[in-house]
């Protein structure tokens, strides 16, 4: 029994459609290669349309849709917020390290270094949480023979 193809429309603002296309169409080619049977249709450059159309097998279209939403920063999960929180914590840790380095008082220097290391550890934990959320969101619906590692850092993907 063959499953009928579906067609899905994603509203992608004109200023983000270039991300979907990629340099020389590379991103569209990757998506169509990663999800066999899926065709991605982006409006012509001179069009005012925001409709990016996906056609193909239902499961493949669902995963391609998720991928396009991720590429455009429009995904429904909150992993980008968690990544943003982690980056903010890393930035705070950097400021504390710099302040500690400039500090003359040994006691204050030690206190600042301790705070910086705690912020850095908190940032690593936030990144781990983001990786879990990303992996779960990307792989719901996949069987045991396939997984999607897009959105993960290399170190996270091999862990």
């Amino acid at each position: 029994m063959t499953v009928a193809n579906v067609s899905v429309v994603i509203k992608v603002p004109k200023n983000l459609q270039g991300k979907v296309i990629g340099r020389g169409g590379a991103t569209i080619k990757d998506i169509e290669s990663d999800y066999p049977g899926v065709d991605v249709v982006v409006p012509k450059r001179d069009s005012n349309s925001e409709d990016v159309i996906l056609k193909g097998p239902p499961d493949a279209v669902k995963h391609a849709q998720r991928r396009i939403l991720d590429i455009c920063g429009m995904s429904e999960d909150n992993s980008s917020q968690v990544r943003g929180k982690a980056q903010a914590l890393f930035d705070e840790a950097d400021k504390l390290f710099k302040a500690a380095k400039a500090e003359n008082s040994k006691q204050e220097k030690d206190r600042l270094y301790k705070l910086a290391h705690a912020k850095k550890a908190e940032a690593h934990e936030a990144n781990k949480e983001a990786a879990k959320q990303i992996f779960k969101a990307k792989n719901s619906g996949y069987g045991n023979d396939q997984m999607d590692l897009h959105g993960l850092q290399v170190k996270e993907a091999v862990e």
Side-chain angles (χ1 to χ4, degrees):
M1 178 176 147
T2 56
V3 178
N5 282 348
V6 297
S7 181
V8 171
V9 176
I10 307 171
K11 295 288 187 187
V12 177
K14 290 297 289 181
N15 65 324
L16 296 176
Q17 290 177 9
K19 286 184 166 192
V20 176
I21 297 167
R23 186 177 299 248
T27 304
I28 285 179
K29 290 174 190 168
D30 284 347
I31 292 169
E32 291 177 342
S33 171
D34 289 347
Y35 307 106
V38 171
D39 289 318
V40 180
V41 180
V42 177
K44 300 281 185 209
R45 186 178 294 217
D46 58 353
S47 167
N48 290 327
S49 176
E50 293 187 338
D51 294 351
V52 172
I53 301 168
L54 302 175
K55 298 176 186 175
D59 281 349
V61 166
K62 179 178 88 173
H63 292 295
Q65 179 181 15
R66 189 178 307 150
R67 175 101 158 263
I68 289 171
L69 291 172
D70 286 345
I71 289 168
C72 296
M74 300 165 46
S75 64
E76 296 171 5
D77 66 28
N78 70 343
S79 59
S80 60
Q81 292 172 336
V82 178
R83 288 273 194 221
K85 176 185 174 189
Q87 187 57 55
L89 290 167
F90 278 121
D91 292 345
E92 283 182 54
D94 285 345
K95 287 178 187 173
L96 288 167
F97 279 122
K98 286 176 185 172
K101 189 174 182 180
E103 183 58 49
N104 291 327
S105 162
K106 174 155 175 43
Q107 186 177 7
E108 182 63 9
K109 183 178 280 218
D110 289 345
R111 185 185 78 77
L112 289 171
Y113 273 128
K114 187 176 180 179
L115 283 172
H117 284 288
K119 285 289 181 197
K120 191 174 177 182
E122 192 178 345
H124 283 295
E125 286 303 312
N127 261 340
K128 283 182 186 177
E129 181 59 32
K132 287 178 191 175
Q133 289 179 18
I134 291 166
F135 186 84
K136 184 177 178 181
K138 301 268 187 208
N139 290 286
S140 64
Y142 279 148
N144 291 332
D145 61 340
Q146 185 178 5
M147 73 174 70
D148 185 347
L149 300 176
H150 290 93
L152 297 178
Q153 297 169 1
V154 172
K155 184 178 178 182
E156 296 167 341
V158 295
E159 288 181 346

